[in-house]
Amino acid sequence: MRRKIPSIEALQAFEAAARHQSFTRAAEELALTQSAVCKQIATLEEMLGIALFNRIKRRVSLSEAGQVYAREVREHLDRLERSTLSIMAHQGSGGVIELAAIPTFATRWLIPRLPGFYAEHPNITINITTRSDTFIFADTVFDASIHFGTGVWPGAHADHLFGEEMIPVCSPQLLARHPCSQPPDLVKLKLLHLSARHDAWHKWFAAAGASDLNAMVGPRYELFSMLVEAARAQMGVALVPRFLVQEEIRSGSLVTPFDIPMQSEMGYFLVYPESKREAKVLQAFVGWLLEQAEQYRLQLQP
C-alpha cells in the first residue's frame, strides 16, 4: 500500500502560516485566499492526527508539535528549492556545493580566493552559508563545512587546512598617541575581546611573560571582523588570527605593536561526510582548497 504523504501545497501553506503566525499573511504571501490556506492546514492536521496550531479566537500560534514540525518542513522545503535551482542552473553539467563556513573565515580568507577556483571549474557553483556549530550532515543541505576546532566531527572526514596564530593589532595612530615599549603597556590602549574567547588576552600575556595582568577588562564583540573594524577605528587593540589581517598590515591601516604570536591548540578544517569522499564535484573543491591552504602555510614560514 502506498504511504500517504502531505501535498507540497499543504506543506507550503503550513510553513508560511508558521513563519508569520497568521493564516491571513500566509495567504497574502502565497497569493491564495485565507480559506484556502485554512483548508490546506486543516487537511494536513487531519492526516497527521495532531493539532499544529493553537487557535484562540482570531489568533493562532504554533503548538509544541507544530514548532518541531515547522523546523523540519522548512529545512526540507529549503533543500528542495536548492536542488531545483541547481538542476535548472546547470542542466545536468557541473554541480553545486553547499558549504557551511565560519563567518569571518569565509569573508576574509576564502571568498577572496574563490575567483581562482571558478577559473579552473566554471561549471561548479559554491553556495556559502555561515555556520559555527557542529551539526549532523544528514540533517542539513550541506555537502561540507569549514570548521575551527580539533578536527573531530562525528561521521565525517576532516582535512586540516592550517593552525591559528593570534597576534595583537591596532591602529598606527592609536599607537603613536600611546607608545608601548613592552607587552603590559597594551592595557593602556584598551583591550578588545572576542565574546567566545574570553581568556584569549590572558593567554597571550602569559605567552609574552606578563601573566599577572588583569586582561579581562574591555568591550566584547561577537565576530573577529568586528574586532578588526574596532581596531581600525582606533577603539583599542585586538587579538586576532594573523590570516584575517594580512591585507590591513600590508596596507598599514593596522600594525602589530609586538609580533609575539600565540599558537592555538586548535585549527581550521574542511569536513565532509564519508559518503562524499568519491563525489567528483566536491573533490574538485577539496583538492583546490588544500592547495590554497598549503600555499598560505608556506607564506608564513620565515
Side-chain angles (χ1 to χ4, degrees), residues 115-163:
F117 175 80
Y118 288 130
E120 297 177 22
H121 305 280
N123 292 327
I124 298 178
T125 298
I126 300 175
N127 296 329
I128 301 176
T129 302
T130 58
R131 286 283 292 269
S132 301
D133 56 322
T134 303
F135 52 82
I136 302 300
F137 278 99
D139 296 336
T140 70
V141 300
F142 298 118
D143 300 302
S145 176
I146 293 178
H147 166 67
F148 177 76
T150 61
V152 177
W153 191 298
H157 173 78
D159 287 321
H160 182 257
L161 300 178
F162 47 81

Side-chain angles (χ1 to χ4, degrees), residues 73-296:
V73 168
R74 189 169 297 118
E75 289 177 0
H76 285 293
L77 288 176
D78 182 55
R79 185 178 304 177
L80 180 61
E81 180 183 23
R82 287 171 182 255
S83 298
T84 302
L85 292 174
S86 173
I87 198 167
M88 290 172 62
H90 295 278
Q91 299 291 303
S93 65
V96 173
I97 297 172
E98 296 292 344
L99 178 69
I102 302 168
T104 308
F105 183 98
T107 56
R108 308 283 295 192
W109 192 89
L110 177 60
I111 292 177
R113 290 171 168 79
L114 279 181
F117 175 80
Y118 288 130
E120 297 177 22
H121 305 280
N123 292 327
I124 298 178
T125 298
I126 300 175
N127 296 329
I128 301 176
T129 302
T130 58
R131 286 283 292 269
S132 301
D133 56 322
T134 303
F135 52 82
I136 302 300
F137 278 99
D139 296 336
T140 70
V141 300
F142 298 118
D143 300 302
S145 176
I146 293 178
H147 166 67
F148 177 76
T150 61
V152 177
W153 191 298
H157 173 78
D159 287 321
H160 182 257
L161 300 178
F162 47 81
E164 186 178 73
E165 188 179 70
M166 305 282 282
I167 58 171
V169 293
C170 65
S171 163
Q173 291 82 5
L174 179 65
L175 190 61
R177 293 197 303 270
H178 304 282
C180 298
S181 59
Q182 53 187 347
D185 294 339
L186 291 181
V187 176
K188 298 184 302 183
L189 305 186
K190 185 177 289 186
L191 304 179
L192 307 176
H193 302 263
L194 187 73
S195 300
R197 305 192 193 183
H198 60 277
D199 61 344
W201 270 115
H202 177 76
K203 291 180 178 179
W204 184 86
F205 278 116
S211 57
D212 57 343
L213 288 174
N214 178 9
M216 304 298 291
V217 179
R220 303 183 183 278
Y221 298 87
E222 184 179 1
L223 301 175
F224 276 128
S225 57
M226 296 178 179
L227 283 177
V228 172
E229 292 307 312
R232 281 166 50 90
Q234 305 181 40
M235 296 172 63
V237 56
L239 189 63
V240 298
R242 187 187 294 273
F243 76 85
L244 294 181
V245 289
Q246 285 184 309
E247 184 57 38
E248 284 80 4
I249 292 176
R250 190 178 300 114
S251 68
S253 61
L254 288 176
V255 295
T256 304
F258 300 100
D259 197 355
I260 303 175
M262 180 181 73
Q263 298 289 343
S264 173
E265 297 175 353
M266 298 185 287
Y268 292 90
F269 293 82
L270 174 67
V271 295
Y272 49 93
E274 293 285 352
S275 59
K276 299 272 188 180
R277 296 190 71 168
E278 302 300 323
K280 292 183 179 180
V281 171
L282 179 59
Q283 289 307 313
F285 176 68
V286 172
W288 172 83
L289 187 62
L290 292 180
E291 289 179 3
Q292 295 298 309
E294 182 179 10
Q295 291 177 17
Y296 172 72

